[in-house]
Amino acid sequence: MQYADVYVDDFISLVQGTKNDRRQAMRTLLHMLDSVFRPWDSNRDTPFRQEPASVKKLKKGDASWSTKKVVLGWLLDSVDKTISLPPHRIERLQTILASIGPTKKRISAKNWHRLLGELRSMVIGIPGARGLFSPLQEAFRTKTPDHRLLLNAMVHQFLDDFRQLSKTLFDRPTRIAELIPQDPSVIGTTDASGQGMGGVAFLNTPSGLRPILWRHRYPKHVQSRLITFDNPRGLLSIGDLELSAMVCQHDVITTAADAWEHTIHSFHDNTAAQFWQGIHHYDRTGCRPASPPVTPSTGVPLYELLGAAPRSAADSFCRDLDISQQTVQKGIVRGTQDCADAHWELWTKFCEELGLDPLLRVPDPVQFLQVFATCYCRRPGKYPGECVQSGTISNAICLVGQTMASMGARDARKDSTGSIDFRLTRMFRRTTNDDTPFRFLDVQLKVGVRHLDLLTTTPAELWAATSVALTFTTQKNGVRGEVICHGRSGHDVLCPVRSMIRRILHLRQHTANMHTIIATYFQNGRHYSVKSADITTTLRQVTAACGADIGFLPSDVSARSALRAMALFCSNVDRDTMNTLFILARILSQCTDSINSRRHPDTTNMGKRQR
């Protein structure tokens, strides 16, 4: 094994092997140093430049191999596998601690900074000293205007702990295995409540796993100090009790088995206790360390939050999840997302009233969706007497199902084959139609500014009308209350005013009233409604009779394309331009069908609806 590292201008090497292996490693290191830094040349360099490898330090023996060596101020022993402070640093530590007597009440902030700096630089070689700094840091809160700190009894108590530990440094060096956790030999978990604490641990022995169970009830004076709703002024939180369980778990294991230089891995479910274990924290009440001092009879503690992923993996997952959610939001129209949020809020309120899980983890979730749709139809609308349209109900159920799927649950709308349940589709067909047709009461004929009564005005007065107005109520693609007015165009057939007059006169001949639908007609004494399919069929028959000279096929014509063609014709657009626009619209519609069928299998007919 060969290893080399660099700290500033110091080279640190570790070799395990024969004398030739050590010599080869040394020569390789010096050769690499000369390849990076040019050797000293008496003809080119000044007397102030020296060899890259310090000859003075080489003569002192710095580059010699040894099993015990001072590296960066620490005495390393590769045979005993220990790390300790050199004798001169131990003497310096004891001198610093002796300079602060137990009767000293004040000290300058500068000297206190120097003391803490020395202690922190030596804490690695002082077993059990990692958790003794919080009270010493707390002394900075007592700084006076003359930059002096007050030393109370608690600070002196912790300084006495450092003095006691410093006396054992000659006899008890720190084992390297105590500083670096290895593969755990003991695995367990702990928990605590306001009544008591307990835990379980599994020891890895030659004969197999050995379980250890323990529990302990808290004394009454501890239970009475717990912060609760009935005792908001208590001094102990549940995190403090969880922390005590973790410390006791470690003590129980080291008492029941020889855990010397073994790693003890404990799981728990309290984030605060995990944090306190990591920083070995004291609070201002002067409580003892979170973890017991590491001695030859104790193991190396290793704590982990139960069920928590490694911190780096958790951070990466949260960051990637946030980015993916932002990407999804960019592909959704803001109004659609707001509508989905509103429907999900209604759904959660509905489930809360019935005591249901919003994700519907029940055998038959469709019946609850049907009840929700029924309640949705009965909810008060924006206008009196307003009906909920079928598209609104189906969209609400669809958005609820998609939200369930986005949360990792099953889409409650679909059956085992992945299709929408037939009970929902039948329910959607029986609700109010989106396309509420115009009626007599939505139409107004005017002669100038005078309104005409559609039922009593004579035909001659109707034919004198100069404009017609249509008022939107619940019609699709319209704004409620909006009025669209058309004037005479001068064309005998295509004029909107004359067309509406012909409709009114025809319906008046068959006992029409104010609720009669405009898009109806009577033939042979029977009543018929004009549908978009009827218009499409008629237009395609006319297109087929005209032949291929008109520039498009019967399949290219529909009721909606006829409306667009009428608008282009009335705008005096030439025939070639109209054909070009129809071809482009057809290509766009086919592309829309293809894209929707790939991305959204449930919306493969979207392109057809758009045409």
Side-chain angles (χ1 to χ4, degrees), residues 54-73:
S54 177
V55 179
K56 179 181 178 181
K57 293 184 178 180
L58 290 175
K59 291 181 178 180
K60 289 183 178 181
D62 277 5
S64 61
W65 295 105
S66 176
T67 58
K68 183 182 293 186
K69 205 170 190 63
V70 177
V71 178
L72 300 179

Side-chain angles (χ1 to χ4, degrees), residues 101-171:
T103 60
K104 195 168 186 177
K105 302 298 183 181
R106 293 161 62 90
I107 189 174
S108 66
K110 181 178 180 180
N111 291 335
W112 193 249
H113 274 292
R114 184 182 297 110
L115 170 65
L116 293 185
E118 291 285 349
L119 293 178
R120 289 191 181 278
S121 65
M122 302 177 184
V123 70
I124 297 179
I126 307 177
R130 290 181 297 174
L132 300 178
F133 284 96
S134 292
L136 305 184
Q137 290 289 145
E138 184 69 20
F140 285 106
R141 297 170 60 91
T142 64
K143 182 185 291 187
T144 60
D146 57 349
H147 301 285
R148 299 182 67 82
L149 309 179
L150 301 179
L151 305 181
N152 54 27
M154 184 179 66
V155 174
H156 282 290
Q157 180 182 357
F158 280 85
L159 290 177
D160 290 338
D161 292 340
F162 271 106
R163 295 188 187 99
Q164 185 65 30
L165 291 173
S166 65
K167 295 178 181 179
T168 64
L169 295 181
F170 287 104
D171 303 329

Side-chain angles (χ1 to χ4, degrees), residues 339 343 346 372-373 376-377 379 386-400 428 431-434:
C339 183
H343 287 148
L346 292 174
F372 173 70
Y376 192 93
C377 293
R379 71 187 182 94
E386 179 181 7
C387 298
V388 179
Q389 301 175 358
S390 61
T392 305
I393 299 174
S394 61
N395 288 340
I397 301 298
C398 177
L399 292 173
V400 169
F428 296 154
T431 54
T432 305
N433 197 325
D434 288 348

Side-chain angles (χ1 to χ4, degrees), residues 21 78 118 166 174 185 283 301 346 394 497 561:
D21 295 332
S78 61
E118 291 285 349
S166 65
T174 303
S185 302
D283 61 17
L346 292 174
S394 61
V497 178
S561 64

Side-chain angles (χ1 to χ4, degrees), residues 33 43 200 291:
L33 182 62
N43 297 326
V200 59
S291 59

Side-chain angles (χ1 to χ4, degrees), residues 350-388:
F350 170 78
C351 294
E352 183 178 357
E353 293 175 356
L354 297 180
L356 295 174
D357 180 6
L359 299 181
L360 286 185
R361 296 185 177 93
V362 293
D364 186 12
V366 176
Q367 56 184 343
F368 297 103
L369 293 177
Q370 289 179 301
V371 176
F372 173 70
T374 303
C375 296
Y376 192 93
C377 293
R378 292 201 303 261
R379 71 187 182 94
K382 183 177 180 182
Y383 299 94
E386 179 181 7
C387 298
V388 179

Side-chain angles (χ1 to χ4, degrees), residues 2-306:
Q2 297 182 5
Y3 178 80
D5 200 354
V6 180
Y7 181 80
V8 189
D9 60 346
D10 292 332
F11 291 87
I12 307 170
S13 298
L14 176 67
V15 174
Q16 185 180 27
T18 63
K19 182 178 180 180
N20 292 332
D21 295 332
R22 297 194 295 271
R23 183 186 298 112
Q24 181 64 28
M26 176 61 67
R27 290 177 177 177
T28 301
L29 180 61
L30 295 176
H31 174 73
M32 296 303 297
L33 182 62
D34 289 337
S35 64
V36 176
F37 299 99
R38 177 177 57 82
W40 183 78
D41 189 351
S42 59
N43 297 326
R44 299 173 54 186
D45 296 328
T46 64
F48 299 101
R49 188 180 187 276
Q50 300 179 4
E51 286 284 351
S54 177
V55 179
K56 179 181 178 181
K57 293 184 178 180
L58 290 175
K59 291 181 178 180
K60 289 183 178 181
D62 277 5
S64 61
W65 295 105
S66 176
T67 58
K68 183 182 293 186
K69 205 170 190 63
V70 177
V71 178
L72 300 179
W74 293 97
L75 181 59
L76 301 180
D77 191 333
S78 61
V79 176
D80 294 337
K81 299 179 182 179
T82 60
I83 179 174
S84 60
L85 290 173
H88 70 278
R89 295 194 67 185
I90 297 177
E91 294 176 359
R92 176 175 174 80
L93 174 62
Q94 294 176 348
T95 302
I96 294 174
L97 294 174
S99 64
I100 306 176
T103 60
K104 195 168 186 177
K105 302 298 183 181
R106 293 161 62 90
I107 189 174
S108 66
K110 181 178 180 180
N111 291 335
W112 193 249
H113 274 292
R114 184 182 297 110
L115 170 65
L116 293 185
E118 291 285 349
L119 293 178
R120 289 191 181 278
S121 65
M122 302 177 184
V123 70
I124 297 179
I126 307 177
R130 290 181 297 174
L132 300 178
F133 284 96
S134 292
L136 305 184
Q137 290 289 145
E138 184 69 20
F140 285 106
R141 297 170 60 91
T142 64
K143 182 185 291 187
T144 60
D146 57 349
H147 301 285
R148 299 182 67 82
L149 309 179
L150 301 179
L151 305 181
N152 54 27
M154 184 179 66
V155 174
H156 282 290
Q157 180 182 357
F158 280 85
L159 290 177
D160 290 338
D161 292 340
F162 271 106
R163 295 188 187 99
Q164 185 65 30
L165 291 173
S166 65
K167 295 178 181 179
T168 64
L169 295 181
F170 287 104
D171 303 329
R172 202 283 186 188
T174 303
R175 304 285 297 181
I176 296 177
E178 298 170 359
L179 304 177
I180 304 176
Q182 306 295 324
D183 292 335
S185 302
V186 182
I187 298 178
T189 183
T190 61
D191 201 359
S193 66
Q195 301 296 322
M197 58 181 174
V200 59
F202 295 91
L203 280 65
N204 190 6
T205 63
S207 58
L209 293 178
R210 175 191 170 190
I212 297 178
L213 294 173
W214 67 275
R215 64 178 179 177
H216 178 73
R217 182 180 293 275
Y218 289 119
K220 291 296 183 180
H221 70 276
V222 175
Q223 298 182 22
S224 62
R225 298 175 67 185
L226 180 63
I227 300 174
T228 61
F229 289 105
D230 299 330
N231 184 28
R233 298 183 179 275
L235 299 177
L236 297 177
S237 66
I238 189 62
D240 296 320
L241 302 184
E242 293 277 4
L243 185 62
S244 65
M246 296 164 62
V247 177
C248 291
Q249 169 95 335
H250 192 96
D251 185 66
V252 168
I253 294 173
T254 55
T255 303
D258 182 12
W260 183 46
E261 294 188 358
H262 289 273
T263 300
I264 300 175
H265 196 167
S266 297
F267 293 88
H268 56 93
D269 59 356
N270 189 271
T271 306
Q274 170 72 16
F275 175 74
W276 292 333
Q277 284 286 357
I279 64 173
H280 304 275
H281 176 72
Y282 279 88
D283 61 17
R284 283 180 288 175
T285 61
C287 65
R288 285 293 141 187
S291 59
V294 180
T295 63
S297 61
T298 62
V300 182
L302 180 63
Y303 302 97
E304 184 176 345
L305 194 63
L306 187 63

